[in-house]
Amino acid sequence: MIGYYWKDLFDRNDDWQGLELTVSMNLGGSQAMEMLSGSHGRMALQVAGKTLFWATMLNDHSGIWLVFNTNHSDGQTLIPPVTSKDIEKVISKAELARTKEWSRYFSRKLMNTSLSLLTAKRWLIRPMEIKHQSPLSKISDTVKNWRFYSPQSTGNIGFSWNLYGEDFPDLVDPNKVRLVDWWWGGNLLLGRYAIQPNTGRLKWWRKKCREGSLPPILVWYVAGLGSYVILDGHYRLQAAIEEEIPPSFLVLSELHEQDLASDQNHQERVVRGLEKQLKSPKCNLDGVNQTLINLYDTRYIYASTHSRATLGEGTQWIQEVENYLQQHQLENYRDRIINRIDSQL
C-alpha cells in the first residue's frame, strides 16, 4: 500500500515550477529502481534487482565511466503505457495546463504500479522543454542542436535541468561504454533498453508527433550519474527524433530542503542600508522588497539521489564489469574504468 499526495510548487513570483509529490509510506516491499554505492566511487543502478548500469567516478571527480548492461532483460514498461484515451483527455488543454496534467498523470502511474519506484520521501516532477537560441531564432530541425531547459525561477531553487540533443542516446544500438564528462556539463540521456525500429508502435507515435499530441518523455535525474534515465517514452523519443520535432520532458528527482544559516549582523547592515535608500525619491521599491525577501528567505531546495551503500570494496562489481567487457570485446576500456581515469596512462 502506498500513501501519497501532491501539490503544485511555485517560486517567489508565483510561477509554476512543477509538481511536488510526497510519498508518506510504502509497504509494497522491493523497489523497481535503486542506486547502490560502495568504495572507490563505484555505483550500480539496478532495475528489479538486476544491474542496468555500472558506473565509477573518476579520481579527479571530473566525471564518471558508465557501462550499460545490454544483457539486461528489462524491456518491459515500468509504468502502464500511455493510451490514445489518455492523450485525448489532455490534448485539448492549453500548453501550461497540459504540462500540469501530464505531471499529475505520471504521478498517478508511478504510484499505482505493482513494483514501487518511489520510496517514502519528497519528489519533484519538473518540466524541461525546447528553447530558442535567441528571441529571434527558430528551433533547429537538427536534433543535435536541440536545447531543453527547465522553467526560469526566482528563489532558492538549487537546481535547473538542461539537456542537449547531442547527448541523446542511440536507442536502436546503444553505446555500451560512455564517459560522462562533468567538466563540460554531463547530463547525458540514458535509455534502459534498445528499441525495435519500424514497429507499429513507433509509427503510431510518429503520427502523434506530427499531430502535436506527443506526451512528454518521463526521465529520472540520477545525481550520482549526473544523467537522466528514461523511465517512460523510449518510442516517443525515437518518434520525435525521426520526425525532427522536439519533444518535451518531465524530470523526476528527489527533493530535499534545508535552512541556510542566517547572519544577524549582516541582516542588520543590509536593513540600515535599505532604510537610507528609502529616503531617496528615486528609490526602487520593487528592488528593496526583493532584497528583503532574499535576505530573510533561508529555505534552500535541492535535488540529490539516495543510494544504498552495499557494494563494499567492490570486488564483485569489478568481476561483473570485467566479465561484461570481455564478453563484448571491450577489454580496452578495462584499465581506464577500474583505475578511474579518462585516458590511457
Side-chain angles (χ1 to χ4, degrees), residues 105-275:
Y105 169 87
F106 283 112
S107 294
R108 288 190 293 267
K109 294 297 183 181
L110 288 167
M111 290 291 95
N112 292 285
T113 56
S114 57
L115 190 60
S116 175
L117 172 63
L118 306 185
T119 53
K121 56 170 60 76
R122 294 170 67 189
W123 299 82
L124 178 65
I125 294 183
R126 196 176 189 207
M128 183 167 58
E129 298 179 338
I130 194 74
K131 297 296 183 183
H132 293 277
Q133 296 294 333
S134 69
L136 299 179
S137 66
K138 295 182 179 180
I139 295 176
S140 173
D141 59 357
T142 304
V143 174
K144 69 177 183 179
N145 291 329
W146 289 350
R147 300 289 185 267
F148 301 85
Y149 300 95
S150 55
Q152 292 185 344
S153 63
T154 57
N156 297 326
I157 297 180
F159 56 93
S160 184
W161 308 133
N162 63 81
L163 176 64
Y164 296 165
E166 62 190 22
D167 292 323
F168 282 8
D170 183 339
L171 292 172
V172 177
D173 185 19
N175 290 327
K176 297 180 179 66
V177 178
R178 297 188 72 175
L179 178 66
V180 184
D181 189 343
W182 289 344
W183 182 261
W184 295 106
N187 289 352
L188 299 185
L189 183 60
L190 308 174
R192 293 186 294 109
Y193 56 87
I195 68 164
Q196 299 298 317
N198 303 318
T199 61
R201 183 181 180 186
L202 179 58
K203 293 176 182 178
W204 188 73
W205 282 126
R206 290 187 65 171
K207 178 177 180 291
K208 293 300 176 184
C209 190
R210 293 191 298 270
E211 293 174 352
S213 59
L214 191 72
I217 316 301
L218 179 65
V219 302
W220 177 27
Y221 181 77
V222 183
L225 305 182
S227 300
Y228 308 95
V229 177
I230 300 175
L231 298 181
D232 184 76
H234 290 72
Y235 281 88
R236 297 199 297 278
L237 177 60
Q238 185 66 22
I241 292 172
E242 293 185 13
E243 292 294 330
E244 296 187 331
I245 299 175
S248 61
F249 294 86
L250 289 175
V251 183
L252 174 73
S253 66
E254 296 183 22
L255 182 65
H256 301 271
E257 184 176 325
Q258 69 181 54
D259 287 330
L260 301 175
S262 58
D263 185 333
Q264 186 174 355
N265 291 331
H266 171 71
Q267 291 174 339
E268 291 175 353
R269 289 195 300 270
V270 173
V271 169
R272 288 196 297 269
L274 294 176
E275 289 174 345

Side-chain angles (χ1 to χ4, degrees), residues 47-109:
V47 177
K50 297 181 180 179
T51 299
L52 180 61
F53 287 97
W54 294 280
T56 185
M57 187 183 301
L58 298 181
N59 285 314
D60 61 3
H61 293 190
S62 65
I64 61 170
W65 280 107
L66 270 176
V67 181
F68 176 39
N69 184 11
T70 55
N71 298 340
H72 196 283
S73 59
D74 178 52
Q76 77 274 15
T77 56
L78 289 177
I79 63 178
V82 181
T83 67
S84 181
K85 184 178 180 180
D86 295 328
I87 296 173
E88 292 302 319
K89 290 180 180 179
V90 179
I91 194 60
S92 61
K93 300 180 182 293
E95 183 176 356
L96 180 57
R98 192 183 306 176
T99 301
K100 291 181 179 181
E101 187 59 35
W102 280 123
S103 298
R104 286 160 169 73
Y105 169 87
F106 283 112
S107 294
R108 288 190 293 267
K109 294 297 183 181

